[in-house]
Amino acid sequence: MESNRRAFSRLDALIVLGILLIALLFFIFRFILDKSTPDTRECSIILNNTIVKTVSLQNDQVFSISENTNVVFEVRNNAIAFTSSDCPDKVCVQTGFIKHNGQTAACLPNGIILKIVSNEDLDEDQIDVIAN
Amino acid sequence: MKKTAFMGIMLAVIMVLSVLEHMLPPIPLMPPNVKLGLSNIITMYCVFFIGKSHAVMLSVIKSAFVFLIRGPMSGFLSLSGGLLSICVIVMLVYFFKDRLSFITISIFGAISHNIGQITTFSLIMKTNLIFYYFPILLVSGIIMGIVTGTLLNVLLPVMHKVLR
């Protein structure tokens, strides 16, 4: 059936190069877009589908939310990360710092999700984030 | 060997690969919960040498398995990645027939696997992740595609021998 399929040929190399080019274009595109956004990002801290706190990324700080003091966050250089948590797998901590609009980090065992939002669209109803 | 028996063995291999993939630490630069597509080796072999419908079934059962061992989120991600990957592979074979090497098809399979996973993740979390992760998604798709494609090429004689 497939006995005459060629190994890596010129068409293949061309396609791979094309994809790399597209990747580069998107990278540049995103880089330019990043430069032009003002640094007014904030992070919504969501516990079990409700936003319990919104913290600005502009000031460096280390804190936890009052509902769960076993999970610690750090804000540094306009980014936020889970620094420690009592969950067994620590996926949240390993995610590291997030800073871009829309990026998320989650500690599922604790039901906590961090989500970067821009200052402008915080007026929307964000109570039921997941099931919406 | 009958196709059914072979499919059973392949499913077992996929399950092991699946468990291994989920045990790996999160890959830097990509969102968590996005997994390598090692099972694509098996699924691709299936598309070319067993049957397209069998391959789709394999993908769906694999996602059900992931759902059982990891939960609904991972299961759903696996399903979207796997299905999109199979569709892309089948379409590529249909349009390009023999002109593409296994490696290129693997690359497209891996990239579409990533796209499927990250799109569902973005939709569920209601974020614009796909825009930010697109470049790294393409590059990692190329890398994993080359890895799975070469592995497929290397394993081809072995798998033929098991099947006959």
Side-chain angles (χ1 to χ4, degrees):
Chain A
M1 261 192 278
E2 294 289 336
S3 38
N4 36 9
R5 183 175 294 267
R6 292 177 203 82
F8 209 68
S9 69
R10 222 161 40 132
L11 177 61
D12 301 297
L14 224 67
I15 292 180
V16 173
L17 279 175
I19 297 178
L20 280 174
L21 212 70
I22 296 178
L24 193 66
L25 280 174
F26 266 90
F27 191 68
I28 296 176
F29 198 42
R30 179 185 87 170
F31 198 63
I32 296 178
L33 222 65
D34 263 357
K35 286 294 179 198
S36 56
T37 6
D39 265 341
T40 54
R41 283 177 301 243
E42 302 185 343
C43 178
S44 297
I45 304 183
I46 301 160
L47 174 65
N48 297 326
N49 283 351
T50 34
I51 302 180
V52 293
K53 187 169 178 155
T54 311
V55 54
S56 158
L57 292 184
Q58 292 176 328
N59 310 308
D60 291 359
Q61 55 173 317
V62 176
F63 66 100
S64 1
I65 49 177
S66 46
E67 290 86 341
N68 185 340
T69 46
N70 297 323
V71 180
V72 182
F73 313 100
E74 179 182 350
V75 179
R76 190 163 28 118
N77 299 333
N78 271 298
I80 187 172
F82 283 87
T83 23
S84 73
S85 164
D86 59 350
C87 59
D89 52 6
K90 309 263 188 273
V91 169
C92 49
V93 182
Q94 284 173 342
T95 313
F97 280 92
I98 53 172
K99 59 189 303 192
H100 295 117
N101 217 327
Q103 268 191 299
T104 54
C107 183
L108 297 176
N110 279 310
I112 299 180
I113 300 178
L114 295 179
K115 180 171 170 180
I116 312 282
V117 288
S118 101
N119 215 334
E120 293 92 55
D121 47 34
L122 269 184
D123 320 313
E124 295 168 20
D125 187 15
Q126 291 193 337
I127 299 210
D128 207 358
V129 178
I130 304 278
N132 225 341
Chain B
M1 169 187 289
K2 286 205 152 77
K3 276 187 188 178
T4 326
F6 188 74
M7 291 284 287
I9 296 180
M10 288 304 108
L11 184 62
V13 174
I14 284 186
M15 286 184 187
V16 170
L17 288 175
S18 220
V19 170
L20 281 177
E21 282 181 352
H22 279 93
M23 277 176 21
L24 295 174
I27 313 168
L29 295 183
M30 298 215 65
N33 296 328
V34 170
K35 299 298 168 197
L36 309 174
L38 287 177
S39 348
N40 278 340
I41 304 175
I42 313 286
T43 328
M44 273 190 33
Y45 182 83
C46 213
V47 168
F48 293 117
F49 298 100
I50 313 281
K52 301 185 177 55
S53 51
H54 295 270
V56 173
M57 197 165 53
L58 214 55
S59 204
V60 172
I61 299 181
K62 180 215 168 185
S63 305
F65 177 69
V66 171
F67 176 85
L68 286 176
I69 62 167
R70 274 283 160 163
M73 176 69 149
S74 297
F76 199 52
L77 286 182
S78 177
L79 185 67
S80 42
L83 282 184
L84 187 65
S85 183
I86 285 273
C87 288
V88 166
I89 291 177
V90 166
M91 283 208 301
L92 279 181
V93 169
Y94 182 71
F95 284 115
F96 284 93
K97 303 275 184 322
D98 272 359
R99 281 187 284 145
L100 292 178
S101 74
F102 281 143
I103 293 192
T104 324
I105 298 189
S106 268
I107 290 179
F108 276 96
I111 289 181
S112 46
H113 190 89
N114 287 344
I115 291 183
Q117 286 187 324
I118 203 169
T119 311
T120 342
F121 193 77
S122 305
L123 285 176
I124 293 181
M125 294 292 189
K126 303 199 72 169
T127 74
N128 296 327
L129 277 183
I130 187 143
F131 182 71
Y132 283 112
Y133 282 110
F134 203 63
I136 188 65
L137 184 154
L138 288 179
V139 171
S140 77
I142 291 179
I143 296 176
M144 278 316 293
I146 294 181
V147 168
T148 40
T150 352
L151 280 174
L152 181 63
N153 277 325
V154 165
L155 290 174
L156 222 42
V158 173
M159 297 182 79
H160 280 331
K161 228 162 44 150
V162 173
L163 182 58
R164 300 296 165 227

